[in-house]
Every structure is written in C-alpha cells, then in structure tokens.
Amino acid sequence: MSTFVLIHGAGDVGWYWHLVEAELRARGHDVVAPDLPCDDDSAGLNEYADVVIEAVGDREDLVVVGQSFGGFTAPLVAARLPVGVLVLVAAMIPAPGESPVEWWENTGFQDAKREQARSDGESTGGTGDPYADFYHDVPRELAEEAMRRERPQAEARMGEPWPLDAWPDVPTRFVLCEQDRSFPPDFFRRLAAERLNITPDEIAAGHCVALSRPRELAEILEGYAAARRAGG
C-alpha cells in the first residue's frame, strides 16, 4: 500500500483533506496531511516543505499531492524524498525562480479569468462570495466548517523565488476540476501542457474537490499509485 502525502492550499489546514483521507485509509493506505505554517510571516516555501518532510518521517511508497497553492510546495517535497508519483490537484504550477507573486502575471491568469467570464456570461470566481467562488458544489454545512477552519495566508515571503532549478524528475499528474470557478479549466489545460507537457485528467467538480467529490478523487489518486507500482 502507498503513503499519500496531502498538501493543502493557501490559508487552509490539513483538515481540508479529511474526507479523502478517510477514503484512502479505508482502502488500506497510510495518509499524512499536515498543517503548513501558512499564517507565519517567518515561514517561506522551504519551511513549508520542511513541515511536510518531518511529518512523513520514514514512510515509504510516497504519493505527494498538492492542491491549489500547494503546487508550490509539493515539488519541493518530491525533490527531497523518494517519491513515486507527484500529483497536482487544481494546483499552481511554478517555473524555476518564479515567485508566487510573479506567477499570476507570468501565467496570464487574469487574461484567462476575463476570457472565462466573457464566455460564461458571469464574473467567474470574482463574486467575492467564497461559497459561490470556491464552495459552490460543497454541502453548505461542510463549506461553513471549512470557512471556520481557514487561517490567514502570510504574504511576507511571497516574493521569494521558487527555489528549484527544474521540475523534479518524478512522474507527475494533474487533476483538473471542470467546474472550477477560481482557476478557469482552459487556463490549467494550457498551463499543464506548456510547463509540464502533460494532459490533465479531469473531474466534474469545483475547486474544493476534496470536499465535494472525495470518493472520486481518492479513486483517481489510488489509480495513480497502482499504475506506478505496476510500472505504468
């Protein structure tokens, strides 16, 4: 069985993954889902990776999964540990030396948001209502609990360059959320092709897929692990 290392996004907590964790544990896997020090102004991306690596300990057969802003941390972990598969779930894909602050302009994100808004006739992901932008397909009670658990995202070190010189030499997969109102699906299709030369696997869900479709996401993640063990 595998150990799934689940890395949450900005201003969040490991609890975000609790439903996916339950699904994976029911299938016999081990799971690590630490809280990153995202509310600590003194912590940067390397410190985020340190927290994850400490939580992993001596576990083996690792599948590292990063969601949203976790896409900046997950590759750092994969570069330092023997990881079988690296999975990005609706996640930002950094380039070498690119800071989180620079990512938004470098990737053309705002243009993609405007184009998406024009095509669907609404202000996609820009309503200011988190229940509409992030949790539109999450049960309301669960979304309210997620909101209660959120933490401030420290911005003090968001201008620091992503420290890797290249993407880690680890098989990488991307799970794209077809109903994502925060990151337009076409934007991630393009970015995954440009920066990783991969075609995403797609799921009918919004940005917070671990809360809205935990069973389906767990099945996808388990499938990646099984394919890796089989040499696929």
Side-chain angles (χ1 to χ4, degrees), residues 5 16 25 32 73 78 99 119 130 142 148-149 154 174-175 207 223:
V5 184
Y16 167 77
R25 289 192 183 278
V32 176
T73 301
S99 72
S119 68
L142 191 58
R148 283 193 293 270
R149 291 175 178 268
F174 194 103
V175 179
H207 190 66

Side-chain angles (χ1 to χ4, degrees), residues 43-122:
L45 294 171
N46 281 320
E47 286 73 28
Y48 289 16
D50 289 343
V51 168
V52 177
I53 290 168
E54 182 177 359
V56 170
D58 60 359
R59 293 174 174 85
E60 299 179 341
D61 194 6
L62 304 178
V63 178
V64 172
V65 184
Q67 189 260 351
S68 197
F69 183 54
F72 268 82
T73 301
L76 303 183
V77 175
R80 293 168 56 183
L81 293 178
V83 172
V85 187
L86 172 59
V87 185
L88 303 176
V89 178
M92 300 164 73
I93 307 171
E98 181 178 67
S99 72
V101 169
E102 294 170 331
W103 185 91
W104 304 99
E105 182 175 356
N106 291 351
T107 59
F109 172 78
Q110 293 299 337
D111 288 341
K113 289 277 283 189
R114 285 190 288 269
E115 177 60 32
Q116 180 69 22
R118 284 194 295 269
S119 68
D120 63 20
E122 63 183 47

Side-chain angles (χ1 to χ4, degrees), residues 116-207:
Q116 180 69 22
R118 284 194 295 269
S119 68
D120 63 20
E122 63 183 47
S123 182
T124 304
T127 69
D129 178 0
Y131 295 109
D133 295 346
F134 294 96
Y135 300 108
H136 61 92
D137 62 340
V138 176
R140 184 69 180 207
E141 184 176 351
L142 191 58
E144 289 173 350
E145 179 65 18
M147 290 286 290
R148 283 193 293 270
R149 291 175 178 268
E150 285 186 358
R151 296 174 293 160
Q153 174 62 52
E155 301 288 340
R157 296 179 63 181
M158 290 298 102
E160 293 182 359
W162 191 60
L164 294 185
D165 294 328
W167 197 261
D169 186 17
V170 175
T172 303
R173 307 297 294 268
F174 194 103
V175 179
L176 183 145
C177 297
E178 297 170 351
Q179 300 165 9
D180 197 333
R181 295 180 179 177
S182 303
F183 293 88
D186 281 344
F187 167 77
F188 269 150
R189 292 185 185 104
R190 171 181 61 79
L191 198 65
E194 289 178 354
R195 294 199 165 186
L196 298 176
N197 194 31
I198 61 176
T199 299
D201 296 308
E202 303 194 10
I203 185 171
H207 190 66

